Amino acid sequence: MLTDIEIAQQVKLKPIKEIAEKLNIHEDDIEYYGKYKAKLSDSINQKLANRKSGKLILVTAINPTPAGEGKTTVTTGLGQAMAKINKNAVLALREPSLGPIFGIKGGAAGGGYSQVLPMEDINLHFTGDMHAITSANNLLCAVLDNHIHQGNSLCIDQRRILVKRCMDMNDRALRNIIIGLGGKVNGIPREDKFTITVASEVMAILCLSENINDLKNKLGNILVAYKFDGSPVYAKDLKVHGAMSALLKDAIKPNLVQTIEGTPVIMHGGPFANIAHGCNSIRATKLALKLGDYCITEAGFGSDLGAEKFFDIKCRTAGLTPSAVVLVATVRALKYNGGVPKNELTIPNLDALEKGVVNLGKHIENLNKFGLPIVVAINKFYTDSIEEINYIKDYCNLKGIEASITEVFEKGGNGGIELAQKVCDICNKPSNFKLLYDNNLNLIEKIKILATEIYGAKEVVYTPEAKKALDEILKLGANNLPICVAKTQYSLSDNPSLLGAPKDFAITVKNITLSNGAGFVVVFTGDIMTMPGLPKLPASENIDINSNGKIIGLF
């Protein structure tokens, strides 16, 4: 079979003007980035303000294998399938990070015959949003260190600096560094760290901002450090949030692209779900809701991460009410949760599937807590046996949940028609959407609810460092913010080796930080790295460009 990039390069793309016309977007409301990409201008928001919003559909998943389970592929295929049954659907997706593209997981533009195009551009530089976010974040860091070097009139304690530099690449050598070496002219020496751009608070803020003024206000509220007397220092104290906003003036505008079959896609923002909130921007989602009868969006990794954060952070912040949830499951992921090693997942194994299917059951149980109708999308791989597929379908039927086999990777929209019809049907059912917890609860209560009800833990254990950090956050009056848990994506617990639906385990909170600008508290569990590393054989070894300027080896 052809590779993803070979399939993509055979497609004759429609000019982006035609995609905009499908949505009745006037040419004056788009800003061209070449023939096949465009930014949606701020002017369109005013024009659509009084238009009725469509139905919001979230695509999430069970806990994946390390290779991923095709959630973006299913999301894209579902959008294409909606067009096959004459439904006006618009996709709202995240932008890929360069880190995984050159690492192990790959991009975030779908796969096979359900891709978002131009996939080479999207998976590499796209419209420069990631670079703008990186620049804005690092401007803040540079201004802070310069302030200390130039006399430190704010009395910043360089031992208590919270903001970290970032770059959109997996580079473990930058996790812990020392800066300011080489003499007095080079600044004040101190320890520092890098995070990957998609884990930065600037990324979260961009995705949770309604407009440029909201963005500037949120950037100004970033907690950057503490003074020697223990009082907080914010970005606005350094008078840098205006310049940061100037760097992000284009990045805050959503991007318009298309699927292989010409379905409109608004692609914007890209926080990871295991170390950030894992959803595309509020602006992109709200635009898609105005432009289509159905907005299909996704949240990163399993429902214990992306979906929960989509509901409790994004929907809470933006006032969104979803209509339905699609839960992606695969035979191989359930066998992985049943104890099968990654290199044996293509071998039929009904016994392992029976052990691992409890993971699907737990995700169904979790999603039911939010009061939304669910359909399970069984993303079929060619190695799946009929017996394994039928077992999952029967399991879903026993749970009273609709299930549909999807073959959108091989067949594009035609492989998801049944799923699209079932999604439209469940969207007509009542949505009793509710959040998991009330913001007025204290942070410890909110963490406990999430750990026990979603992860299945029996208790939450706090390290001394976490307890100290919690006390400092409470002093700043952040008790009524939602929580964003940094946790492994491979398990419902904080231990990637505890597969299936583990019970009677403890969640260990190692640290807690305040993303004051973004408006949530980050709770670190397990061994989560905010700067990933490359594998022994990184994907970059296979990526090249020929003498004609054609990129090869990109998936």
Side-chain angles (χ1 to χ4, degrees):
M1 187 174 175
L2 297 174
T3 64
D4 288 352
I5 193 169
E6 288 170 340
I7 292 169
Q9 289 174 343
Q10 290 182 356
V11 176
K12 183 174 176 56
L13 285 164
K14 294 180 173 63
I16 200 63
K17 180 182 176 182
E18 292 184 19
I19 303 300
E21 287 172 350
K22 278 188 177 185
L23 300 173
N24 296 314
I25 297 174
H26 194 274
E27 189 173 11
D28 290 343
D29 295 320
I30 61 175
E31 300 170 9
Y32 291 106
Y33 278 65
K35 292 182 180 179
Y36 309 114
K37 302 169 294 189
K39 287 278 185 184
L40 295 173
S41 301
D42 292 335
S43 57
I44 195 172
N45 294 297
Q46 296 176 346
K47 294 179 180 180
L48 297 173
N50 297 321
R51 186 179 295 184
K52 182 182 177 182
S53 294
K55 294 181 182 294
L56 179 57
I57 301 157
L58 174 69
V59 181
T60 185
I62 61 173
N63 292 101
T65 67
E69 302 312 307
K71 177 161 46 60
T72 307
T73 301
V74 171
T75 306
T76 306
L78 174 58
Q80 295 180 154
M82 284 288 204
K84 298 285 185 183
I85 61 172
N86 299 314
K87 301 295 183 183
N88 176 23
V90 181
L91 294 167
L93 302 178
R94 292 174 298 160
E95 301 176 49
S97 164
L98 285 174
I101 288 165
F102 294 123
I104 186 170
K105 185 178 179 293
Y113 290 90
S114 292
Q115 295 186 59
V116 185
L117 306 180
M119 70 89 83
E120 303 99 317
D121 293 2
I122 291 168
N123 281 313
L124 296 176
H125 296 288
F126 200 21
T127 57
D129 292 346
M130 294 291 182
H131 302 295
I133 293 165
T134 302
S135 297
N137 180 92
N138 292 343
L139 172 64
L140 174 59
C141 294
V143 167
L144 184 147
D145 279 305
N146 181 63
H147 178 89
I148 296 173
H149 175 71
Q150 300 292 352
N152 197 9
S153 62
L154 288 174
C155 298
I156 294 170
D157 185 347
Q158 66 251 38
R159 299 164 301 179
R160 302 191 69 194
I161 292 173
L162 306 175
V163 67
K164 303 174 183 65
R165 287 167 166 81
C166 73
M167 65 181 295
D168 193 33
M169 194 64 64
N170 291 5
D171 192 346
R172 62 171 53 85
L174 295 177
R175 286 174 184 163
N176 297 283
I177 60 173
I178 298 176
I179 62 171
L181 298 179
K184 185 177 180 180
V185 71
N186 294 321
I188 307 297
R190 67 176 181 87
E191 291 185 47
D192 200 2
K193 298 174 182 287
F194 269 76
T195 65
I196 192 165
T197 297
V198 289
S200 70
E201 186 175 355
V202 177
M203 168 62 80
I205 287 172
L206 182 90
C207 290
L208 293 170
S209 296
E210 297 277 359
N211 51 53
I212 193 69
N213 289 329
D214 187 31
L215 174 76
K216 184 160 60 174
N217 183 58
K218 285 180 165 67
L219 291 172
N221 287 330
I222 294 175
L223 177 64
V224 296
Y226 288 97
K227 299 180 183 181
F228 288 114
D229 65 4
S231 59
V233 179
Y234 299 99
K236 58 190 174 187
D237 296 325
L238 293 166
K239 299 181 176 63
V240 68
H241 56 305
M244 293 170 70
S245 302
L247 284 171
L248 296 169
K249 73 176 184 66
D250 293 319
I252 195 175
K253 299 172 184 175
N255 308 292
L256 180 65
V257 283
Q258 62 190 287
T259 71
I260 277 181
E261 297 178 9
T263 305
V265 182
I266 302 177
M267 200 169 220
H268 194 220
F272 284 166
N274 60 340
I275 50 181
H277 75 286
C279 310
N280 72 317
S281 76
I282 286 174
R283 295 192 85 192
T285 300
K286 286 190 171 182
L287 265 179
L289 284 167
K290 293 291 186 181
L291 293 167
D293 297 324
Y294 298 88
C295 166
I296 304 169
T297 190
E298 65 166 346
F301 296 123
S303 74
D304 55 315
L305 288 169
E308 184 275 322
K309 294 170 183 178
F310 176 84
F311 298 137
D312 287 320
I313 297 176
K314 180 175 177 177
C315 290
R316 189 193 304 264
T317 302
L320 297 170
T321 302
S323 295
V325 179
V326 175
L327 177 60
V328 178
T330 63
V331 167
R332 68 179 192 177
L334 291 173
K335 289 192 292 190
Y336 181 80
N337 274 279
V340 175
K342 181 182 171 183
N343 60 354
E344 296 178 15
L345 293 175
T346 58
I347 302 169
N349 189 331
L350 203 57
D351 289 339
L353 182 62
E354 290 175 2
K355 292 178 183 176
V357 79
V358 294
N359 185 262
L360 173 59
K362 178 58 177 166
H363 284 281
I364 290 172
E365 175 191 320
N366 287 349
L367 290 171
N368 280 331
K369 295 178 189 294
F370 295 95
L372 295 170
I374 306 163
V375 60
V376 171
I378 305 171
N379 188 20
K380 187 176 182 296
F381 287 72
Y382 72 95
T383 55
D384 299 341
S385 70
I386 295 174
E387 291 78 13
E388 289 172 323
I389 292 287
N390 286 337
Y391 181 84
I392 298 174
K393 290 188 73 174
D394 291 342
Y395 182 85
C396 291
N397 288 335
L398 288 173
K399 294 281 185 181
I401 299 295
E402 290 276 356
S404 175
I405 300 170
T406 62
E407 299 179 87
V408 295
F409 181 90
E410 294 182 39
K411 301 177 181 179
N414 286 326
I417 289 175
E418 181 189 75
L419 175 63
Q421 290 170 333
K422 289 188 174 184
V423 167
C424 290
D425 289 341
I426 66 168
C427 278
N428 292 324
K429 294 181 179 180
S431 170
N432 300 309
F433 176 63
K434 56 186 177 181
L435 300 171
L436 185 67
Y437 53 81
D438 190 314
N439 258 357
N440 291 323
L441 295 174
N442 65 52
L443 290 175
I444 289 179
E445 288 176 306
K446 284 181 277 198
I447 294 169
K448 182 179 179 181
I449 288 171
L450 186 53
T452 56
E453 294 197 24
I454 299 298
Y455 308 151
K458 66 176 181 179
E459 63 177 330
V460 181
V461 176
Y462 293 83
T463 64
E465 182 183 11
K467 289 179 180 178
K468 182 180 178 182
L470 180 60
D471 288 341
E472 291 176 347
I473 289 170
L474 293 177
K475 289 177 184 176
L476 294 173
N479 201 39
N480 63 342
L481 295 179
I483 54 173
C484 178
V485 175
K487 182 184 78 68
T488 178
Q489 65 268 37
Y490 300 124
S491 171
L492 286 158
S493 73
D494 57 356
N495 180 351
S497 66
L498 293 181
L499 302 176
K503 297 179 180 178
D504 298 325
F505 62 92
I507 287 279
T508 300
V509 176
K510 292 191 170 182
N511 196 11
I512 303 175
T513 62
L514 173 60
S515 290
N516 192 62
F520 54 71
V521 173
V522 184
V523 179
F524 291 89
T525 70
D527 296 319
I528 289 295
M529 294 286 186
T530 55
M531 170 54 83
L534 292 170
K536 187 173 183 179
L537 297 173
S540 56
E541 293 188 10
N542 299 316
I543 299 171
D544 204 350
I545 188 167
N546 65 21
S547 58
N548 296 320
K550 185 177 181 180
I551 294 173
I552 56 177
L554 190 64
F555 323 121

